[in-house]
Amino acid sequence: MSRSPSLGAIANVKNPQRKQRRSFNQISAKLAPYGFLTPFIVLFFVFSVFGFVFSLYLSFHQWNPVAGMASMRFVGFENYTFSLGEPDFYKSLYNTIWLGLASGLSQHLVAIPMAYLLVSLGSKFRHFMTSAFFLPFITSTVAVSLIFVNMYSANVGIINKAIVALVNLPVINWFMDWVNAFMPLRWLEDRTLIKPAIAILQFWKFVGFHLVIYISGILTLSKEVEEAAILDGANWRQRFWHVALPHLRPFIFFGVTLTIIGSLQMFEEPFIITNGTGGIGNSGLTISMFLYKVAWEWLDMGWASAMSWLLFLIIAAVTAVQFFVFGKKGLGEH
Amino acid sequence: MTTMSLSKMFTRDEYDERSLPRRVFGGIGTLFFYAFLLLCAFLSVFPFIWSAILSTRTRSEIFSSELSLQLGNALFENYESLIDTLPFWNSMFNSIYVSGLGTVVSILFCSMGGYAFAVYQFRGKGAIFGTMVASMMVPPILGLIPYYMIIQYLGLLNTRLALWLPFTATPFAIFLVRQYVIASIPRELIESARIDGAGEFSIYFRIALPLMKPVLGTVAIVQFVFFWNNFLAPLIVTSSQDMYVVTLALRTVQGLPNTPWGAVMLGTTISIMPIVTFYLFASRQMIAGLTSGAVKG
């Protein structure tokens, strides 16, 4: 009772039980981060780190998974040289780039001015519009591709029906009558139409995503800058080109990078649209689809691994070029 | 002119935000502009409406050459044909199972990982974090073949586990959680809990986790949409129909002769319902969540 509280505190610290508990806490604080990270580390090292190393190793071997591990045979760079000598590889590369340019460019060229205009419309209406444009982005590619397969159908698809109805409207008919000669368009069975068909689907699916990015980009433009431009007598055209667009530069850089990486790996849309075949004359075959064919239809995992590394190098190269040409300046300003 | 205040000048003449379309397109042009915008919005949602309409039509109505938006009354027949052709509800169950479990486990793993990176100093932190960030730039297609082979090696081909577990510790989500914890959970709070003698796990679970709710909502949205829409992973690791998720099951009808389009469109419509329904109620959160990497990054 007569002990002062401070003495009690000292006595407590000296209490061995308490000390033990403290050091236990210290140890557990040291080990805790590893405990928390265990699931990530295990999954990440098994599927990513080991996976990438193994895929690199595999790309120098010939191997059929059905024949078992023992059938693995070292072949050096053969898988790579074989890919580079394969006409279908170039064909799929060409198709992939064609699709990426056609749908990717149009997505950004539409999304940027659209975002600029939508920002001026007030937040309620803007949100209504963005929600509609964003809907295709959240739904499964397989589901929407199946719907498009039906809509593209030559004789019964609504797209052809709508085109026919449109060109036969009273006034439009005077100068659009020639279109009728080409109807019905065989979207899915014509080698010149299959790529546009896929590109339209992609445009429809992804334009809303970029629209949202650009809208939030324009919204970060401060009112003061906008007002200063108006004070200086800039009209809307000048403000779009000289105020909004430079401000959007890092957003464009980011969006375009995403489009490049995404479209070079494009798989699901062409896979469903061409029913897994690549279309007539492989005119809708993308690199990822070709890789899938090699790995899971022809069961040549080594060749497919080599191709995935080639694709990786292509993506890295294109992204790097884009970064140096376009990104450095844009990122430097912010 | 001097009496007119600057702000008034903006609000009245020049800086009326709503007048931008008017200045760009002119008076009547603005009307056309709004009509055009509404048309675009309609085209954007039309395929979903169309799929719902077709799912009520008979075969001959679908194949008629007429252009109409009328509903048919063959919904029930199409439903019967759907469950005849496909193990539809079984695949829906697989999808719900994989997406639900995957999302819950993702929330746990990613919150733990992000919390550890944000709160602790430990040996190897820089290396692990650096590798993780670097891996976010590697295109997923590179991991596809090793994913398949590891799943095969572990004997997990044709299981649901293979469809969710490998995707539950996403670098991107861990990164998001880390940023959030650093920005909005004060270190003092964790320190004081530690002084009060709370164990490390209970600090995470009782104090940090409830505070992470907003970012975990984002993680949940991103992961659920990913799992629900995933196609490539199920395509390569599942081979028997009873393990198919709904995206894969729907795709198999393409191989059938005389595709029963009414049934297929009904299945498609039902399969997108969970996400679309959620979107109707929480579109802002979903848009913000799915663009979070882009907007904040």
Side-chain angles (χ1 to χ4, degrees), chain A residues 34 54 131 138 161 230 272, chain B residues 15 123 149 229 254 279:
Chain A
Y34 300 106
F54 187 62
S131 304
I138 61 161
K161 283 187 207 166
I230 295 167
I272 303 292
Chain B
Y15 201 68
R123 201 182 280 267
M149 299 192 28
N229 293 344
Q254 281 195 297
Y279 185 70

Side-chain angles (χ1 to χ4, degrees), chain A residues 144 147-148 151 204, chain B residues 42-52:
Chain A
V144 298
I147 300 174
F148 270 73
M151 296 202 306
W204 171 80
Chain B
F42 174 72
L43 288 179
S44 212
V45 297
F46 176 75
F48 303 108
I49 300 170
W50 185 236
S51 145

Side-chain angles (χ1 to χ4, degrees), chain B residues 86-95 97-98 158-160 163 238-246 248-249 252:
Chain B
L86 294 175
F88 183 74
W89 289 109
N90 184 51
S91 340
M92 279 295 273
F93 170 79
N94 287 338
S95 274
Y97 178 96
V98 166
N158 215 17
T159 60
R160 292 189 202 99
L163 298 181
T238 47
S239 50
S240 74
Q241 247 192 352
D242 57 317
M243 283 296 151
Y244 279 4
V245 291
V246 73
L248 201 54
T252 57

Side-chain angles (χ1 to χ4, degrees), chain B residues 35 40 42 64 67 91 96 136 152 162 179 201 229 231 252 265 276:
Chain B
C40 289
F42 174 72
S64 85
L67 180 66
S91 340
I96 293 168
M136 284 158 67
Q152 189 192 32
Q179 302 300 87
F201 187 79
N229 293 344
F231 174 65
T252 57
M265 288 297 112
V276 172

Side-chain angles (χ1 to χ4, degrees), chain A residues 13-206:
Chain A
V13 171
K14 282 187 176 160
N15 180 344
Q17 231 186 337
R18 173 98 190 218
K19 198 177 176 186
Q20 209 178 9
R21 187 182 165 93
R22 215 172 153 192
S23 64
F24 170 76
N25 269 355
Q26 272 169 352
I27 292 171
S28 84
K30 273 216 157 119
L31 289 178
Y34 300 106
F36 286 126
L37 279 170
T38 303
F40 165 70
I41 291 175
V42 170
L43 289 173
F44 183 70
F45 277 83
V46 171
F47 286 98
S48 297
V49 179
F50 170 75
F52 296 148
V53 174
F54 187 62
S55 145
L56 191 63
Y57 172 83
L58 196 60
S59 73
F60 296 103
H61 290 75
Q62 193 177 53
W63 186 56
N64 175 342
V66 177
M69 279 290 183
S71 69
M72 207 179 276
R73 192 165 58 83
F74 181 76
V75 293
F77 278 94
E78 206 176 274
N79 285 325
Y80 290 91
T81 50
F82 194 65
S83 300
L84 294 174
E86 168 66 44
D88 274 353
F89 178 76
Y90 292 103
K91 178 139 209 177
S92 61
L93 183 62
Y94 168 80
N95 291 340
T96 309
I97 293 171
W98 195 103
L99 287 170
L101 283 176
S103 87
L105 268 182
S106 48
Q107 281 164 37
H108 293 277
L109 290 179
V110 169
I112 295 169
M114 187 82 116
Y116 187 66
L117 286 167
L118 281 180
V119 165
S120 68
L121 291 184
S123 73
K124 273 244 169 75
F125 186 68
R126 184 174 68 232
H127 182 70
F128 172 76
M129 296 299 295
T130 9
S131 304
F133 289 127
F134 201 76
L135 184 63
F137 181 76
I138 61 161
T139 42
S140 105
T141 310
V142 176
V144 298
S145 301
L146 279 172
I147 300 174
F148 270 73
V149 166
N150 179 281
M151 296 202 306
Y152 278 131
S153 155
N155 296 316
V156 300
I158 184 131
I159 293 179
N160 278 353
K161 283 187 207 166
I163 294 174
V164 170
L166 194 66
V167 298
N168 289 321
L169 283 178
V171 181
I172 296 169
N173 183 245
W174 296 340
F175 50 94
M176 293 295 276
D177 196 35
W178 55 272
V179 176
N180 280 315
F182 294 93
M183 300 306 288
L185 293 173
R186 307 204 152 270
W187 291 98
L188 306 177
E189 294 109 42
D190 186 312
R191 50 180 85 208
T192 53
L193 284 177
I194 190 88
K195 279 197 280 286
I198 299 168
I200 291 169
L201 164 57
Q202 282 221 305
F203 172 83
W204 171 80
K205 194 166 189 326
F206 291 104

Side-chain angles (χ1 to χ4, degrees), chain B residues 29-290:
Chain B
T30 310
L31 253 173
F32 277 103
F33 170 65
Y34 276 95
F36 173 73
L37 276 186
L38 289 174
L39 177 73
C40 289
F42 174 72
L43 288 179
S44 212
V45 297
F46 176 75
F48 303 108
I49 300 170
W50 185 236
S51 145
I53 292 175
L54 288 187
S55 63
T56 66
R57 289 190 178 174
T58 63
R59 197 173 171 76
S60 58
E61 281 166 340
I62 290 172
F63 283 90
S64 85
S65 57
E66 239 175 286
L67 180 66
S68 89
L69 294 180
Q70 206 134 50
L71 290 172
N73 43 20
L75 183 62
F76 194 68
E77 287 84 340
N78 285 334
Y79 177 72
E80 284 191 328
S81 150
L82 173 68
I83 51 177
D84 273 351
T85 0
L86 294 175
F88 183 74
W89 289 109
N90 184 51
S91 340
M92 279 295 273
F93 170 79
N94 287 338
S95 274
I96 293 168
Y97 178 96
V98 166
S99 316
L101 204 55
T103 305
V104 171
V105 177
S106 296
I107 290 174
L108 183 71
F109 285 180
C110 297
S111 67
M112 278 164 43
Y115 176 77
F117 280 129
V119 167
Y120 295 98
Q121 295 302 325
F122 52 95
R123 201 182 280 267
K125 180 180 173 180
I128 301 173
F129 189 69
T131 322
M132 184 187 90
V133 171
S135 81
M136 284 158 67
M137 326 224 167
V138 177
I141 196 95
L142 201 56
L144 192 67
I145 289 163
Y147 161 73
Y148 171 79
M149 299 192 28
I150 292 160
I151 291 299
Q152 189 192 32
Y153 181 77
L154 297 174
L156 293 175
L157 280 185
N158 215 17
T159 60
R160 292 189 202 99
L161 188 71
L163 298 181
W164 62 267
L165 185 63
F167 307 103
T168 48
T170 330
F172 168 68
I174 291 176
F175 186 78
L176 270 190
V177 173
R178 171 193 178 263
Q179 302 300 87
Y180 185 83
V181 172
I182 287 177
S184 36
I185 298 185
R187 294 295 289 270
E188 294 78 28
L189 194 65
I190 291 161
E191 280 307 320
S192 67
R194 213 168 266 157
I195 288 165
D196 288 345
E200 297 300 319
F201 187 79
S202 77
I203 296 175
Y204 152 78
F205 198 75
R206 300 231 175 104
I207 296 168
L209 203 57
L211 293 173
M212 288 186 226
K213 261 182 200 150
V215 73
L216 295 184
T218 304
V219 171
I221 288 170
V222 172
Q223 290 295 90
F224 190 85
V225 170
F226 165 78
F227 281 118
W228 189 268
N229 293 344
N230 197 2
F231 174 65
L232 196 46
L235 178 69
I236 63 175
V237 301
T238 47
S239 50
S240 74
Q241 247 192 352
D242 57 317
M243 283 296 151
Y244 279 4
V245 291
V246 73
T247 48
L248 201 54
L250 285 174
R251 180 252 177 290
T252 57
V253 299
Q254 281 195 297
L256 301 174
N258 293 326
T259 314
W261 276 113
V264 175
M265 288 297 112
L266 179 62
T268 308
T269 308
I270 298 174
S271 84
I272 60 177
M273 274 309 198
I275 284 187
V276 172
T277 312
F278 185 66
Y279 185 70
L280 289 180
F281 291 103
S283 59
R284 270 172 214 277
Q285 287 83 343
M286 277 188 88
I287 294 175
L290 290 167

